[in-house]
Amino acid sequence: AGEDGGLSAEEKEAEAAKRRGNTLFQRGLYAESLQHYTEAVRWAGQPGFGKSSLAAIYHSNRAAALMKLEKCEEAAEASEEALRLDPSFWKAALRGAQAHMALGNFERAAAMASAAQELSGQTFPEAAAAAAMLCDLRVALAALSPASSSSAIY
């Protein structure tokens, strides 16, 4: 295919696995799509694979499938790896924000949602939700903190 022009053999195999995963994901077959995205990640780890931006996509796609399977911890890890490989990949930041929010990691969720907004130039409901949760969490933590409960002596 013309879209694979200029890719190494390993990169072509990874792209083919990603396309198979995308087809399955669109059909709602998330566990099956995850297998193909994981295959793409394996190809991306081979010596002949040199495009970190493609590898980031495979990790981010794994995160999307993992979220659909409610495997939030693994989804968060996949998103973090995608961002490590391509710090400008806003979709990975958004998926990471969703995963971290589901895990209750509100500070990380807010940071990732904010990064996704900044990188994409778009506004996402996840960013506002994560920021609101973070604010509520800080208020709750402050109320529970021993330092905030002053013992008045009369």
Side-chain angles (χ1 to χ4, degrees):
E3 63 193 56
D4 284 345
L7 297 181
S8 70
E10 293 84 358
E11 291 160 352
K12 288 178 184 177
E13 290 288 347
E15 282 293 290
K18 178 194 80 173
R19 285 193 296 274
R20 289 190 299 271
N22 288 350
T23 299
L24 292 164
F25 189 93
Q26 290 165 354
R27 292 183 188 158
L29 301 170
Y30 305 119
E32 294 84 350
S33 71
L34 178 61
Q35 293 172 352
H36 291 283
Y37 295 144
T38 300
E39 179 187 346
V41 166
R42 278 196 299 272
W43 279 109
Q46 297 299 311
F49 193 99
K51 297 189 180 342
S52 62
S53 60
L54 289 180
I57 292 169
Y58 311 148
H59 284 280
S60 181
N61 287 358
R62 282 190 81 245
L66 288 161
M67 283 298 293
K68 292 290 188 179
L69 296 169
E70 298 182 7
K71 296 183 176 184
C72 301
E73 186 73 40
E74 290 177 65
E77 291 169 10
S79 297
E80 297 283 358
E81 180 61 13
L83 277 176
R84 187 190 68 74
L85 291 164
D86 183 357
S88 67
F89 191 22
W90 69 266
K91 244 186 213 186
L94 180 60
R95 288 176 177 154
Q98 293 164 332
H100 282 290
M101 194 168 355
L103 291 168
N105 301 335
F106 302 122
E107 291 210 28
R108 186 66 183 140
M112 291 185 91
S114 177
Q117 267 187 263
E118 191 175 306
L119 292 168
S120 72
Q122 301 176 36
T123 301
F124 299 104
E126 289 83 357
M133 282 185 181
L134 180 59
C135 182
D136 291 346
L137 184 61
R138 285 186 177 146
V139 168
L141 288 173
L144 295 172
S145 168
S148 67
S149 57
S150 58
S151 326
I153 300 176
Y154 297 98

